[in-house]
Amino acid sequence: MVFTKPQCQPSSKKPADVFCKSIDDWKATFQANLPLAHKLEELLTDPKASTLNVISFYLKEPFGTVLANAYNIAHPQMLVVSDVDSLKVVEETVQKQVSTDDMKADMRFIPTEQAGAEDEDLSVHAKVAMIGRAGSPWYSIVFTSDNFNISSTFASTVTKNANSANFENYNFITDLATAPIIKAHQCVFDAIGSLDASKPFSLHDVGVAYEFCVFHRRARAELSDPVRFYLLPYDVDRALTDIAYQAGKSEEIDVAGYNAGNPCLATLMKGALAEGKKIRLITDDDVCQQLPPKDKQWYAELEQSGAKLKFMQTNGDRFSALSNRFHHKFMVFKQGNTTTVLSGSANFTCAAFSKNLETSYVLSDKKMTEVYAAAFDDYWEKQARPRNEVEPCG
């Protein structure tokens, strides 16, 4: 797994330590993220790829170029799902660059209505890609907190801006077709691919098809699996059971979340604090400016209950191409020398665990969990700031 690396100079103006607010900063970040971009593009443009499936909350034009290159190289069967506005740009990019008129690509538009006032997630918020290879039993999966905004081509316009300066993570997994995690992902894409493209996207219909497929293929995650996959909201009971189990046996819990102050997650953390567990929480300073008072109150209550809280001062602006945010969505559960991690596309909001289509993962693989734990420690010690040092949060 790989973390993105914003390479941004502290602002000379108040507030200080504002990340990536100039073209020069973005160019530095682009260079820092090139190894990740090349790794992702190499995987997606595999000459042996027979299937390429992608779900992303948002996509930009450079990703369309990557998809076009993938198709020109291997002509895989493709299913690409994203929101209406971004997918139109990607679709046009692909159509301009493919080398054949007989393109086997299914581009699916999804609703762009907001899920509600609690947050700004759309109903389809998953961020995952799966690649199958002809004649091979091995599949590759990439899941991320990002919107696949990584490219090896730099640009600086709203639609073409490449290599996100957000704080994100990309996770790469390869496993046999018989593994539950692969079968479950196949069920996700089969369920979406089976929908009537002429009708509105239906989370209910996806759920029915997914549940039937997972039951038929025996693709349920087991607590012994090193990587456990849950498709929300359909697997929410199993996911919450796993999360609660990890929290219950942990001595320390570290939380990195763009928005983690809602009652659903905060209730779990307050219970853990009451049991004497140590909790550190890093969130973005945007929450001090954009969240409604009721959500801000949850952060205050967590601090009053004993949680240690810090902010990443990004002052991002979602309407600006030259902006960024602390966009992680992971939790690190620690018990002695054992570490477990919750990661994926889901923000720690009620909407993410109840009505959005999200991909969530619980990781016990040591090579993956150690990277998350080290990244959190690095953020906490070197970049995050306490409330009284962050202007909009003081």
Side-chain angles (χ1 to χ4, degrees):
M1 61 155 303
V2 185
F3 279 66
T4 54
K5 300 177 180 179
Q7 301 290 304
C8 310
Q9 298 299 318
S11 171
S12 60
K13 301 178 181 179
K14 292 288 185 178
D17 300 325
V18 176
F19 294 99
C20 294
K21 301 296 285 188
S22 71
I23 288 290
D24 289 338
D25 281 352
W26 274 82
K27 288 180 179 178
T29 290
F30 169 78
Q31 294 292 334
N33 285 332
L34 270 178
L36 171 56
H38 287 308
K39 180 179 179 67
L40 181 62
E41 289 189 10
E42 180 181 1
L43 184 62
L44 295 173
T45 57
D46 188 337
K48 296 182 180 179
S50 57
T51 58
L52 175 56
N53 300 312
V54 179
I55 305 176
S56 184
F57 171 66
Y58 188 76
L59 294 171
K60 293 184 178 179
E61 188 171 331
F63 194 76
T65 298
V66 174
L67 292 177
N69 291 341
Y71 190 79
N72 287 334
I73 290 171
H75 301 282
Q77 181 73 44
M78 294 199 304
L79 172 62
V80 183
V81 182
S82 186
D83 73 85
V84 174
D85 293 334
S86 71
L87 192 54
K88 285 181 179 177
V89 174
V90 171
E91 187 175 36
E92 291 171 357
T93 303
V94 171
Q95 289 174 344
K96 290 177 182 177
Q97 298 182 26
V98 295
S99 59
T100 176
D101 293 331
D102 184 25
M103 185 174 177
K104 300 175 291 183
D106 184 355
M107 300 284 188
R108 292 295 179 97
F109 301 125
I110 61 175
T112 55
E113 291 80 15
Q114 292 185 352
E118 181 179 347
D119 55 57
E120 296 179 353
D121 289 343
L122 305 192
S123 57
V124 178
H125 193 249
K127 303 169 178 69
V128 62
M130 184 171 73
I131 302 94
R133 300 169 182 83
S136 171
W138 296 91
Y139 282 78
S140 293
I141 292 171
V142 183
F143 69 88
T144 174
S145 61
D146 198 5
N147 293 304
F148 290 99
N149 288 337
I150 290 292
S151 172
S152 58
T153 304
F154 179 76
S156 58
T157 66
V158 174
T159 58
K160 296 182 180 180
N161 204 7
N163 284 21
S164 171
N166 285 355
F167 294 87
E168 310 276 9
N169 57 78
Y170 281 75
N171 306 260
F172 298 82
I173 298 173
T174 298
D175 211 334
L176 289 168
T178 54
I181 188 171
I182 300 299
K183 292 190 288 186
H185 279 79
Q186 287 176 324
C187 287
V188 175
F189 289 104
D190 286 351
I192 295 175
S194 67
L195 296 178
D196 185 343
S198 65
K199 296 181 179 179
F201 189 93
S202 170
L203 280 175
H204 175 268
D205 290 349
V206 170
V208 171
Y210 170 75
E211 292 282 0
F212 181 83
C213 178
V214 167
F215 176 80
H216 179 70
R217 295 189 182 183
R218 298 181 180 179
R220 294 288 183 207
E222 301 290 341
L223 285 177
S224 58
D225 295 337
V227 181
R228 302 185 286 284
F229 169 65
Y230 301 104
L231 182 66
L232 307 179
Y234 317 115
D235 291 330
V236 66
D237 289 343
R238 295 178 180 86
L240 291 177
T241 298
D242 199 341
I243 295 168
Y245 172 71
Q246 303 305 329
K249 70 176 185 177
S250 298
E251 298 159 354
E252 301 178 14
I253 304 173
D254 292 333
V255 183
Y258 178 69
N259 180 0
N262 71 92
C264 295
L265 178 65
T267 300
L268 181 149
M269 289 192 288
K270 287 179 69 175
L273 289 166
E275 295 175 358
K277 303 178 189 298
K278 297 179 181 179
I279 292 181
R280 297 185 297 176
L281 194 153
I282 302 175
T283 190
D284 196 286
D285 66 342
D286 289 3
V287 303
C288 301
Q289 299 168 307
Q290 299 178 13
L291 284 189
K294 64 181 179 65
D295 285 335
K296 295 178 185 179
Q297 181 61 30
W298 279 101
Y299 284 103
E301 290 186 11
L302 285 172
E303 286 183 291
Q304 294 167 6
S305 299
K308 294 182 179 180
L309 176 65
K310 286 189 177 183
F311 298 85
M312 293 291 282
Q313 189 163 358
T314 65
N315 287 305
D317 180 355
R318 64 190 179 92
F319 296 107
S320 171
L322 296 178
S323 184
N324 80 309
R325 56 182 61 176
F326 186 73
H327 202 236
H328 284 305
K329 312 155 178 62
F330 69 85
M331 300 178 67
V332 182
F333 304 94
K334 299 177 181 178
Q335 181 190 29
N337 296 323
T338 301
T339 303
T340 304
V341 170
L342 168 69
S343 187
S345 69
N347 288 303
F348 299 131
T349 63
C350 295
F353 282 81
S354 62
K355 55 187 176 183
N356 290 350
L357 184 69
E358 306 274 7
T359 45
S360 186
Y361 303 80
V362 179
L363 316 173
S364 300
D365 180 86
K366 188 174 182 180
K367 291 182 179 179
M368 301 182 77
T369 60
E370 287 182 344
V371 176
Y372 276 99
F376 187 95
D377 287 340
D378 191 69
Y379 291 143
W380 185 266
E381 295 166 5
K382 297 179 181 179
Q383 298 186 66
R385 298 288 184 267
R387 183 187 293 276
N388 61 356
E389 294 181 17
V390 180
E391 185 170 295
C393 299

